[in-house]
């Protein structure tokens, strides 16, 4: 019977077209991922080159004072983009994967955005995750909505009943052929992805494969459940398409509206004002309190002081800059917290919505979620601090510019290693899919001989 | 075509569909969803506006309360501008969540507009946002298709089609009548929401500052009505050409998938490859290179600025810049600001052109794709499209330039050439000058400009209606009664 079912499957043109659509869109999506990676790589190479040029130029022209030189010189930190990002671009097209900062106050620099066409951000990237989350379920629905009803509507159901002792087994085989065919396309695409994007076979890629597998299995369970009610083809199609729209469009959009309403972020506005006033108002104030605060922050720098008779010193200048960051500390921290709260809430609520759960999980696995960006920003803060701590003593003691080996300041890299909780990733699928299958089983047993 | 026949056919569609219990639930569902989207959109918009107003007020107060100081310090203290949303933006969010909201304006430097909603959000946002526009553009077509796919095929399958045709109803009357009925049905889902939106507009104070908003809203409504009329015609036409209800439904859903999901993404990929846009680092470096070639206004020995100095000394018959009748540093910085702003503007215009080309590629699919046409129109009229944002960008840069140059001119006028540096007591000017500098006030684009920018999309909707009209008029003989 299996052989016959397979033969029947291959003979039906519609089904093969469905698989071809999945395969082709999958290949296009991999190409989009590849282009994204290449563009990113190009940006990093160019920046590395520009940074070197920039340092060389300023060292040549601004070599009298260390303080003045470091007003200009920029240091780049790259948020490493592993090739797996190509599978799920996530927020990487919104938040920059590279920041170039001077040692002046960081608040005015760290929120700089990249240049992107907002229309493209609105449309979103057709990466492999998109194909898996949106297109695969549609084809699964097309393959399965009339699993039973087509036999009934074409009059072959009574034949099935009379010729097989176990109709459920026959239906299971019929569904199985479709399940295996769709999974084959998925695994083929993932295999191609592995080599085309040269993705290392590590924990992230493995879990990505598992997530995709479980997500697709969930849709099959759902189709199986709907089919088990023995309704006619158009009712099944309607129910399944409505589920698809609900899961891919309506619920995520409603949840997003909820998350934004629950956690508005006016801190994004106040950080800007705080850091600006924190720094610029210092020009009009007495120098002593500023320097005193600076000394409190960095006791190791107490030995450097502002010369009493001077209107200006680099110590005072950088202390003022530092005050910009210090004043904004509270709101900047709150800003980050709010973003984390948004992410946590959506992750929690999303656990029970397979589409959202899959998208958020894939973004995490592909280093492209907002948590990854926040980690990058925190790394940038440490990087900036470290650069300042390195240069402050040299600036304040007026070390000659020529004493520094400037060619050693190349781009720095940051790599975030997200922790993956396999249970949290896979359990929701298992629970939801099992519930669907159990319910379907009850229906099938009740309606065993239903014509 | 007899008007009376069309009315009877239309009424039959209306009665037949409403008899079905599921219609009641579907209509209620969409009404609730649309009103929820409208109210939450308006609420969000209202809060956002309140925040923007409060912070803008704060910025102004802080600006005015600065003590007497050197104007160049004020130029660096700068201004912070928060993007105000267009009063209709609650209707269709468009690109609003993807464009920046806060910008710090200072001398010599064009900072990016930061903190878009997207930069503060996670992957959830990328599923799309729930706004009235989104529901009307993306979800309601499916309901229209669902109600419409069987309108002719069912008559054919039940054999009633032959009876209708023999009774003297023409194909044209039948299709138009069914489409009109379907269109009336669709009204039940969104008309209440439109009325509510109108009430919101009337309650909003900003409507009275800008009467054009009412005009925009009316055009928006008319566009959506034409859009749904096109969809109704499409559904009935596809139904008339399909052998069975199943093929009719599959074609309509295929149409939706292709035009709503696939075509925009494909045109995006094509646009990205055809028109390469620079990254921030390339953009900045290109400007920096050009500025270096022009000279550095902070460096007194720079050859470009030395030439200016020499010609100034000659023109005023003096031997030192100290003796010039205005502050020399201010003059040089004014010149530097002019050069750097011009250079920036040149590159910015080029960048915008690339973006426009990329977007035009999508816009050009509008004649084929009514979903894109209405999306563009809706965003444009709601003030959430790219030109609305670009208009804001331009105003912000103009304001920044004006601020920097005003401070440079104050320096030229009031600061003596003999002061040592900006810390000098004599290098301060009175704070009344800060109050004299006007606050930033965003102006929205006039309706005419918005309309002209989306002319292709408007023409596309009109041509779809005319196209269907012709198609239905001349297609009667190809259609089969059984």
């Amino acid at each position: 019977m299996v052989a016959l079912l397979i033969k029947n499957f291959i003979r039906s043109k519609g089904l093969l077209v469905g698989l071809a659509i999945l395969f082709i869109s999958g290949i296009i999506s991999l190409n989009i991922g590849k282009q994204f990676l290449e563009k990113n790589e190009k940006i990093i190479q160019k920046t590395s080159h520009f940074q070197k040029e920039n340092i060389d130029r300023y060292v040549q022209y601004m070599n009298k004072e260390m303080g003045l030189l470091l007003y200009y010189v920029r240091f780049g930190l790259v948020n490493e983009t592993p090739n797996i990002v190509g599978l799920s671009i996530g927020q990487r097209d919104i938040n920059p994967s590279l920041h170039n900062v001077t040692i002046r106050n960081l608040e005015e620099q760290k929120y700089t955005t990249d240049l992107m066409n907002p229309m493209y951000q609105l449309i979103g990237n057709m990466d492999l995750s998109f194909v898996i989350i949106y297109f695969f379920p549609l084809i699964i629905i097309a393959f399965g909505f009339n699993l039973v009803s087509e036999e009934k509507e074409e009059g072959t159901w009574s034949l099935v009943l009379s010729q097989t002792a176990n109709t459920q087994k026959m239906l299971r085989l019929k569904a199985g052929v479709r399940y295996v065919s769709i999974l084959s396309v998925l695994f083929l695409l993932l295999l191609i992805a592995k080599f085309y994007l040269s993705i290392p076979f590590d924990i992230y890629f493995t879990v990505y494969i598992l997530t995709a597998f479980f997500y697709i299995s969930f849709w099959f369970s759902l189709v199986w459940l709907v089919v088990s009610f023995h309704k006619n083809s158009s009712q099944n199609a309607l129910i399944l398409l409505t589920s698809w729209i609900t899961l891919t469009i309506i619920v995520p959009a409603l949840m997003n509206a909820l998350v934004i309403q629950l956690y508005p972020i006016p801190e994004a506005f106040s950080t800007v004002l705080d850091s600006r006033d924190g720094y610029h108002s210092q020009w009009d104030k007495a120098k002593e309190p500023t320097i005193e605060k600076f000394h409190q922050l960095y006791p190791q720098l107490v030995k450097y002081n502002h010369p009493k008779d001077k209107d200006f010193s680099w110590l005072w200048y950088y202390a003022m800059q530092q005050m910009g960051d210090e004043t904004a500390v509270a709101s900047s921290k709150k800003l980050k917290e709010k973003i984390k709260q948004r992410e946590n809430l959506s992750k929690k609520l999303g656990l029970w919505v397979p589409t959202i759960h899959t998208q958020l999980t894939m973004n995490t696995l592909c280093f492209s979620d907002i948590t990854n960006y926040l980690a990058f920003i925190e790394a940038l803060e440490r990087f900036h601090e470290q650069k300042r701590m390195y240069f402050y003593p040299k600036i304040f003691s007026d070390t000659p510019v020529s004493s520094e080996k400037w060619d050693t300041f190349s781009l720095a890299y940051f790599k975030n290693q997200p922790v993956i909780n396999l249970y949290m990733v896979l359990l929701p699928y298992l629970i939801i899919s099992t519930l669907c299958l159990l319910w379907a089983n009850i229906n099938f047993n009740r309606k065993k001989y239903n014509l | 075509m007899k008007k009376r026949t069309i009315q009877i056919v239309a009424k039959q569609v209306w009665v037949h569909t409403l008899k079905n219990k599921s219609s009641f639930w579907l209509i209620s569902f969409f009404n609730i969803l649309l009103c929820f989207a409208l109210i939450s959109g308006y609420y969000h918009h209202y809060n956002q506006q309140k925040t923007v107003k409060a912070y803008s007020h704060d910025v102004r107060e802080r600006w005015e309360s600065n003590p007497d100081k050197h104007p160049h310090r004020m130029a660096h203290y700068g201004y912070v501008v928060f993007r105000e949303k267009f009063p209709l933006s609650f209707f269709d969010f468009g690109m609003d969540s993807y464009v920046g909201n806060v910008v710090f304006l200072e001398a010599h430097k064009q900072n990016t507009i930061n903190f878009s909603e997207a930069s503060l959000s996670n992957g959830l946002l990328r599923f799309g946002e729930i706004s009235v526009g989104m529901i009307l553009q993306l979800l309601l077509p499916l309901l229209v298709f669902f109600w419409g796919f069987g309108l002719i095929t069912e008559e054919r399958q039940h054999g009633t089609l032959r009876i209708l045709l023999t009774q003297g109803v023409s194909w044209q009357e039948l299709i138009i009548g069914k489409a009109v009925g379907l269109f009336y049905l669709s009204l039940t889902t969104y008309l209440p929401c439109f009325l509510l939106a109108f009430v919101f507009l009337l309650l909003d104070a900003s409507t009275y500052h800008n009467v054009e908003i009412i005009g925009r809203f009316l055009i928006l409504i008319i566009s959506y009505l034409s859009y749904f009329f096109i969809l109704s015609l499409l559904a009935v036409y596809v139904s008339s050409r399909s052998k069975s209800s199943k093929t009719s439904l599959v074609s309509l859903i295929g149409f939706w998938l292709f035009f709503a999901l696939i075509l925009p993404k494909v045109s995006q990929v094509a646009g990205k490859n055809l028109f390469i846009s620079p990254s921030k680092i390339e953009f900045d470096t290109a400007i920096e290179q050009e500025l270096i070639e022009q000279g550095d206004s902070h460096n007194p020995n720079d050859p470009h600025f030395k030439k200016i100095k020499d010609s100034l000394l000659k023109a005023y018959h003096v031997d030192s810049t100290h003796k010039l009748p205005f502050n020399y540093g201010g003059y040089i910085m004014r010149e530097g600001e002019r050069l750097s702003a011009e250079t920036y503007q040149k590159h910015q215009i080029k960048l915008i052109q690339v973006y426009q080309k990329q977007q035009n590629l999508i816009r050009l699919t509008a004649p084929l794709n009514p979903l894109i046409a209405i999306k563009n129109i809706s965003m444009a009229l709601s003030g959430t499209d790219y030109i609305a944002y670009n208009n804001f960008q331009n105003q912000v840069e103009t304001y920044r330039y004006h601020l920097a140059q005003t401070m440079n001119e104050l320096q030229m006028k009031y600061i003596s050439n003999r002061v040592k540096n900006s810390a000098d007591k004599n290098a301060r000017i009175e704070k009344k000058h800060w109050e004299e500098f006007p606050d930033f006030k965003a102006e929205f684009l006039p309706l005419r400009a918005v309309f002209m920018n989306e002319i292709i999309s408007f023409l596309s909707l009109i041509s779809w209606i005319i196209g269907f009209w012709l198609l239905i008029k001349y297609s009667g003989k190809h259609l089969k009664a059984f």
Side-chain angles (χ1 to χ4, degrees):
Chain A
M1 190 164 64
V2 183
L4 283 174
L5 281 172
I6 293 176
K7 214 173 190 176
N8 180 290
F9 178 78
I10 294 174
R11 288 261 172 91
S12 54
K13 244 190 281 164
L15 297 179
L16 285 183
V17 170
L19 293 180
I21 290 175
L22 285 185
F23 183 72
I24 293 167
S25 42
I27 295 292
I28 296 176
S29 75
L30 290 180
N31 205 34
I32 292 171
K34 177 113 180 160
Q35 278 179 357
F36 179 83
L37 292 174
E38 276 167 1
K39 184 165 186 200
N40 198 57
E41 184 55 40
K42 215 176 80 190
I43 292 175
I44 292 171
Q45 274 174 9
K46 279 200 174 153
T47 313
S48 167
H49 175 75
F50 291 143
Q51 173 164 330
K52 217 172 131 30
E53 251 185 25
N54 173 284
I55 293 180
D56 284 351
R57 186 168 55 236
Y58 284 116
V59 169
Q60 202 185 336
Y61 294 114
M62 305 277 174
N63 51 14
K64 290 194 192 75
E65 282 172 298
M66 198 67 139
L68 183 64
L69 175 65
L70 284 158
Y71 175 94
Y72 291 102
V73 170
R74 293 178 169 277
F75 304 98
L77 181 69
V78 178
N79 184 8
E80 254 186 44
T81 312
N83 287 344
I84 198 171
V85 172
L87 298 185
S88 184
I89 297 168
Q91 301 301 91
R92 286 268 185 164
D93 65 334
I94 287 173
N95 299 317
S97 296
L98 190 154
H99 275 296
N100 263 314
V101 292
T102 67
I103 67 165
R104 285 177 278 154
N105 90 56
L106 184 60
E107 284 293 321
E108 275 178 24
Q109 307 179 66
K110 72 176 170 190
Y111 305 111
T112 305
T113 47
D114 214 334
L115 297 176
M116 279 298 271
N117 189 341
M119 181 71 166
Y120 282 2
Q121 294 179 326
L122 172 66
I123 293 174
N125 293 298
M126 192 172 108
D127 49 20
L128 187 63
S129 296
F130 178 83
V131 173
I132 290 175
I133 291 170
Y134 286 78
F135 289 176
F136 270 76
L138 278 175
I139 301 291
I140 294 170
I141 290 171
F143 278 19
F145 78 100
N146 58 359
L147 208 62
V148 184
S149 49
E150 77 174 344
E151 309 270 0
K152 285 187 176 177
E153 280 152 25
E154 285 164 18
T156 44
W157 185 241
S158 43
L159 275 178
V160 174
L161 285 178
S162 62
Q163 294 199 339
T164 44
N166 190 344
T167 47
Q168 239 200 83
K169 192 181 156 200
M170 177 265 175
L171 286 178
R172 244 184 261 143
L173 281 173
K174 207 176 155 189
V177 172
R178 285 153 176 75
Y179 185 49
V180 170
S181 69
I182 294 230
L183 283 182
S184 318
V185 174
L186 174 73
F187 289 130
L188 184 63
L189 284 173
L190 288 168
L191 190 73
I192 295 173
K194 156 123 196 47
F195 292 104
Y196 186 52
L197 302 182
S198 1
I199 301 166
F201 206 90
D202 55 7
I203 172 83
Y204 301 113
F205 190 49
T206 317
V207 181
Y208 187 95
I209 296 172
L210 284 174
T211 311
F213 167 74
F214 276 96
Y215 176 70
I216 282 168
S217 307
F218 153 74
W219 275 100
F220 266 99
S221 325
L222 188 68
V223 171
W224 188 248
L225 172 65
V226 171
V227 160
S228 76
F229 287 102
H230 287 260
K231 292 192 184 305
N232 67 38
S233 297
S234 46
Q235 278 171 312
N236 284 348
L238 185 68
I239 295 170
L240 286 167
L241 280 175
T242 312
S243 320
W244 182 83
I245 292 161
T246 313
L247 287 175
T248 56
I249 301 175
I250 301 176
V251 173
L254 285 175
M255 204 179 279
N256 184 55
L258 178 77
V259 171
I260 288 178
Q261 303 276 18
L262 281 180
Y263 300 110
I265 313 191
E267 286 79 7
F269 291 4
S270 50
T271 39
V272 180
L273 296 188
D274 288 351
S275 81
R276 179 182 72 142
D277 272 41
Y279 158 50
H280 289 276
S281 62
Q282 305 297 328
W283 286 96
D284 311 313
K285 291 179 185 164
K287 298 182 177 65
E288 291 74 24
T290 311
I291 289 165
E292 203 174 301
K293 257 192 223 153
F294 185 70
H295 281 157
Q296 272 167 14
L297 277 171
Y298 302 112
Q300 69 271 36
L301 298 175
V302 168
K303 60 182 169 209
Y304 304 107
N305 229 316
H306 178 75
K308 287 262 168 337
D309 52 330
K310 287 257 179 86
D311 286 329
F312 181 87
S313 76
W314 287 111
L315 174 71
W316 176 55
Y317 178 77
Y318 283 104
M320 286 197 294
Q321 286 281 353
Q322 184 78 45
M323 290 313 128
D325 281 354
E326 286 310 312
T327 318
V329 156
S331 44
S332 169
K333 215 171 127 189
K334 224 168 175 188
L335 168 69
K336 277 186 281 182
E337 263 167 32
K338 285 263 184 83
I339 296 177
K340 276 182 198 160
Q341 281 169 334
R342 280 182 169 190
E343 169 79 341
N344 286 341
L345 181 67
S346 10
K347 275 198 162 163
K348 259 186 216 145
L349 294 175
L351 276 181
W352 307 108
V353 187
T355 44
I356 298 176
H357 181 59
T358 308
Q359 182 71 75
L360 297 182
T361 306
M362 285 181 167
N363 286 353
T364 306
L365 293 167
C366 297
F367 304 82
S368 58
D369 61 351
I370 190 81
T371 312
N372 171 281
Y373 185 67
L374 284 180
F376 174 51
I377 286 296
E378 276 160 12
L380 182 71
E381 286 162 5
R382 291 192 298 274
F383 174 77
H384 186 256
E385 173 91 2
Q386 178 212 328
K387 281 277 170 293
R388 284 189 292 114
M389 286 304 110
Y390 179 78
F391 283 112
Y392 276 170
K394 301 192 179 217
I395 295 170
F396 305 151
S397 61
D398 213 5
T399 314
V401 169
S402 54
S403 69
E404 194 64 49
K405 279 190 186 134
W406 291 102
D407 50 351
T408 56
F409 291 95
S410 49
L411 281 186
Y413 289 84
F414 163 72
K415 187 166 184 189
N416 176 237
Q417 299 282 3
V419 186
I420 305 297
N421 181 344
L422 208 56
Y423 293 112
M424 279 300 251
V425 170
L426 301 183
L427 216 53
Y429 297 114
L430 274 173
I431 293 173
I432 298 172
S433 305
T434 313
L435 286 177
C436 288
L437 292 177
L438 283 176
W439 191 359
N441 210 30
I442 296 171
N443 287 340
F444 273 123
N445 286 335
R446 195 187 315 151
K447 296 179 180 165
K448 213 171 196 171
Y449 303 106
N450 199 341
L451 276 168
Chain B
M1 263 188 282
K2 284 183 283 262
K3 213 174 146 200
R4 173 104 186 97
T5 322
I6 292 177
Q7 274 172 353
I8 292 171
V9 176
K11 197 178 165 202
Q12 182 254 346
V13 173
W14 171 272
V15 172
H16 180 77
T17 311
L18 289 185
K19 232 193 257 168
N20 199 328
K21 214 170 58 193
S22 71
S23 301
F24 170 75
W25 293 111
L26 283 169
I27 293 171
S28 318
F29 172 75
F30 275 102
N31 270 300
I32 293 170
L33 194 65
L34 276 168
C35 289
F36 167 79
L38 184 71
I39 293 166
S40 83
Y42 187 75
Y43 179 74
H44 186 66
H45 170 79
Y46 179 79
N47 279 339
Q48 190 79 10
Q49 288 298 87
K50 222 169 64 183
T51 317
V52 165
K53 279 224 175 84
Y55 278 100
S56 304
H57 189 73
D58 191 13
V59 167
R60 184 66 197 175
E61 260 182 8
R62 291 187 197 211
W63 167 266
E64 287 182 3
S65 63
N66 264 281
D68 299 356
K69 61 164 96 175
H70 191 284
H72 193 60
R73 284 191 176 170
M74 219 37 195
H76 275 290
Y77 175 74
Y79 224 82
V80 180
V81 169
F82 303 95
R83 188 167 60 88
E84 209 180 302
K85 293 192 171 165
F86 189 72
L88 258 177
S89 66
F90 66 87
F91 196 85
D92 186 342
F93 300 164
M95 294 179 198
D96 239 10
S97 296
Y98 294 89
V99 295
N101 288 312
V102 191
V103 59
F104 173 42
L105 308 175
E106 58 179 326
H108 324 302
K109 203 174 156 215
Q110 286 82 1
N111 293 311
T112 54
I113 306 179
N114 297 335
F115 294 117
S116 67
E117 191 63 55
S119 72
L120 305 170
S121 300
N122 62 357
L124 207 50
L125 180 74
R126 310 310 284 276
F127 281 99
E129 288 176 287
I130 200 121
S131 72
V132 176
M134 181 274 241
I135 299 169
L136 293 174
Q137 291 153 29
L138 212 58
L139 299 182
L140 267 177
L142 286 169
L143 182 67
V144 173
F145 291 165
F146 172 67
W147 275 336
F149 77 94
L151 284 182
I152 306 262
T153 48
E154 268 169 22
E155 301 263 14
R156 191 184 287 130
Q157 274 162 355
H158 296 158
T160 42
L161 186 58
R162 268 178 286 179
I163 300 174
L164 276 174
L165 292 174
T166 50
Q167 281 185 341
V169 179
S170 71
W171 268 109
Q172 286 90 333
E173 285 160 352
L174 189 67
I175 294 180
I176 305 267
K178 294 259 181 191
V180 168
L182 190 55
F183 174 69
Y184 285 161
L185 273 174
S186 74
L187 288 176
T188 60
T189 55
Y190 52 76
L191 218 49
C193 166
F194 283 177
L195 290 174
L196 188 61
F198 193 64
V199 172
F200 279 169
L201 273 188
L202 290 182
L203 291 177
D204 200 295
S206 50
T207 312
Y208 300 95
H209 297 306
N210 189 351
V211 193
E212 268 193 2
I213 291 169
I214 300 288
R216 278 194 183 211
F217 185 69
L218 289 179
I219 299 178
L220 192 65
I221 299 304
I222 294 169
S223 306
Y224 271 112
L225 292 179
S226 346
Y227 173 63
F228 280 103
F229 191 56
I230 292 170
L231 292 177
S232 308
L233 283 167
L234 179 75
V236 178
Y237 182 72
V238 168
S239 183
S240 76
R241 303 282 316 217
S242 302
K243 269 193 215 130
S244 68
S245 299
K246 200 174 134 191
T247 44
S248 169
L249 183 63
V250 170
S251 322
L252 287 169
I253 288 176
F255 174 91
W256 180 84
L257 273 178
F258 183 72
F259 286 117
L261 278 185
I262 300 174
L263 194 59
K265 299 241 176 201
V266 171
S267 17
Q268 175 196 26
V269 175
K272 248 187 203 168
N273 288 317
L274 282 174
F275 310 107
I276 311 279
S277 58
S279 61
K280 174 109 174 76
I281 185 89
E282 289 169 305
F283 184 80
D284 288 350
T285 320
I287 294 176
E288 202 184 320
Q289 286 292 354
E290 220 166 291
L291 290 179
I292 288 168
E293 280 161 27
Q294 286 165 1
D296 178 357
S297 63
H298 276 82
N299 177 5
N301 298 321
D302 182 273
H304 173 82
F305 291 96
K306 195 163 180 304
K307 220 164 94 192
I308 297 177
K309 180 173 137 189
D310 293 343
S311 64
L312 275 178
L313 294 181
K314 217 165 144 194
Y316 286 90
H317 306 291
V318 284
D319 53 5
S320 147
T321 53
H322 287 313
K323 292 179 187 157
L324 284 170
F326 50 81
N327 182 286
Y328 174 66
Y331 182 88
I332 289 295
M333 271 193 294
R334 189 177 72 173
E335 174 69 6
E337 189 68 55
R338 186 182 63 78
L339 281 175
S340 67
E342 272 172 13
T343 311
Y344 170 83
Q345 208 53 35
K346 202 174 76 190
H347 286 264
Q348 176 73 9
I349 287 170
K350 247 196 254 166
L351 177 75
I352 302 300
Q353 277 168 352
V354 175
Y355 286 170
Q356 293 284 14
K357 277 182 196 158
Q358 291 181 336
Q359 290 176 19
N360 278 341
L361 198 76
I362 297 174
R363 196 169 282 125
L364 284 176
T365 64
L368 289 175
N369 187 351
L371 269 75
I372 276 289
I374 192 72
K375 192 186 171 101
N376 282 335
I377 290 175
S378 178
M379 281 199 294
L381 293 170
S382 306
T384 54
D385 65 341
Y386 190 67
I387 60 158
Y389 178 63
N390 190 225
N391 175 45
F392 173 73
Q393 279 180 310
N394 292 338
Q395 288 179 51
V396 160
E397 169 57 16
T398 310
Y399 186 79
R400 187 201 70 79
Y401 184 71
H402 182 53
L403 185 146
Q405 296 303 53
T406 308
M407 293 305 131
N408 287 333
E409 271 149 27
L410 286 173
Q411 177 172 349
M412 283 171 67
K413 198 166 164 193
Y414 295 109
I415 307 295
S416 146
N417 275 317
R418 305 222 169 255
V419 297
K420 227 172 12 162
N421 57 36
S422 59
D424 196 323
K425 286 229 161 33
N426 297 322
R428 288 179 195 163
I429 63 171
E430 280 175 66
K431 62 178 288 194
K432 70 159 202 247
H433 295 290
W434 319 149
E435 286 155 29
E436 278 163 11
F437 186 74
D439 195 1
F440 177 80
K441 182 87 194 75
E443 295 287 336
F444 296 112
L445 281 174
L447 180 54
R448 206 185 120 78
V450 174
F451 187 82
M452 289 316 283
N453 190 52
E454 283 306 339
I455 192 86
I456 296 179
S457 306
F458 282 108
L459 286 177
S460 147
L461 285 190
I462 294 170
S463 54
W464 269 83
I465 293 182
I466 296 175
F468 265 122
W469 195 263
L470 295 174
L471 202 62
I472 290 163
K473 200 159 178 207
Y474 296 107
S475 72
K477 34 181 148 12
H478 306 293
L479 296 170
K480 294 189 184 73
F482 46 86

